[in-house]
Amino acid sequence: QTIQNVFRLTEVVAEVVANETDSLLFATGAFAGGVDAKLSDAIVTAFKTGLGYTYESTNLRTGEQGAAQTKRMLGVWTRMALVDQVIAAMNNGRVTTALGNGGAILDLGCGAGVA
């Protein structure tokens, strides 16, 4: 027997938590398991000192998991908006023209390789 209507998502919530394919609102990739003890300690220290910590130091602590989490969190946006919307808008479209004429872009991202 199939149980139906046990759990439902509104259309808006589904875009945020379940549509990893083509939703610019997808945000569930930001959550991935527990926090490594070293990162947890860094968060506590950041709150105590008010100094925070760098993205680089987070990646050193989380390793591949950190890059994978960032890839999942930003992947949809990167695939759907980075080239078509952001790069197209840069310098009033001149960047897109330069790329069409053989120009290149250096991507310094999270290291996950989505862009």
Side-chain angles (χ1 to χ4, degrees):
Q1 180 180 12
T2 302
I3 300 173
Q4 295 181 359
N5 297 323
V6 174
F7 185 81
R8 292 184 328 149
L9 298 176
T10 66
E11 187 175 320
V12 172
V13 173
E15 288 297 303
V16 174
V17 301
N19 186 356
E20 193 169 347
T21 305
D22 59 5
S23 173
L24 293 177
L25 303 174
F26 177 74
T28 304
F31 306 99
V35 175
D36 180 90
K38 290 179 184 176
L39 180 56
S40 179
D41 292 343
I43 293 170
V44 171
T45 300
F47 273 99
K48 286 181 177 177
T49 64
L51 297 176
Y53 55 91
T54 67
Y55 182 77
E56 180 183 8
S57 67
T58 301
N59 269 349
L60 292 173
R61 290 182 182 98
T62 60
E64 290 182 25
Q65 178 190 353
Q69 183 176 351
T70 302
K71 176 183 179 179
R72 184 170 181 222
M73 180 176 60
L74 299 176
V76 175
W77 180 87
T78 301
R79 289 187 302 272
M80 293 185 67
L82 181 63
V83 174
D84 294 340
Q85 295 177 30
V86 176
I87 293 176
M90 292 173 70
N91 206 8
N92 294 319
R94 291 187 200 111
V95 172
T96 302
T97 301
L99 290 171
N101 292 328
I105 291 179
L106 172 63
D107 171 34
L108 296 173
C110 68
V114 177

